[in-house]
Amino acid sequence: MYCDTDFDPKNTIEYSTQKLYDTLKNEKTDFISLTGGEPLLEVDFLEEFFKNYNLKTPIYLETNGTLYN
């Protein structure tokens, strides 16, 4: 799902860091993009995810720039 597609809150999926990792390790892609309104608002989730991430697929963190401190 992309942030520019229609969003239906009834069809959302909650991911633990382990579930996200398990999902990504089975994907065949050139890169992974973490985006949203502001992914840095989920810093605890990101920190846990990155701590255990060991795939060779590059990750791009797309921020909207509102957290500049």
Side-chain angles (χ1 to χ4, degrees):
M1 176 151 196
Y2 299 93
C3 62
D4 59 352
T5 59
D6 289 335
F7 175 71
D8 182 354
K10 294 178 287 189
N11 293 326
T12 61
I13 300 171
E14 297 252 345
Y15 281 90
S16 66
T17 56
Q18 186 61 52
K19 184 175 179 180
L20 179 58
Y21 177 78
D22 290 344
T23 300
L24 294 174
K25 73 180 179 182
N26 295 317
E27 293 293 321
K28 303 289 186 232
T29 186
D30 294 330
F31 65 91
I32 297 164
S33 179
L34 301 176
T35 185
E38 179 49 78
L40 294 177
L41 291 173
E42 304 299 332
V43 69
D44 293 337
F45 183 91
L46 293 173
E47 185 175 46
E48 182 180 340
F49 177 72
F50 288 136
K51 179 175 56 175
N52 298 313
Y53 185 81
N54 65 358
L55 302 177
K56 299 206 182 296
T57 308
I59 295 179
Y60 300 98
L61 181 65
E62 185 179 331
T63 175
N64 67 14
T66 58
L67 300 174
Y68 53 85
N69 292 346

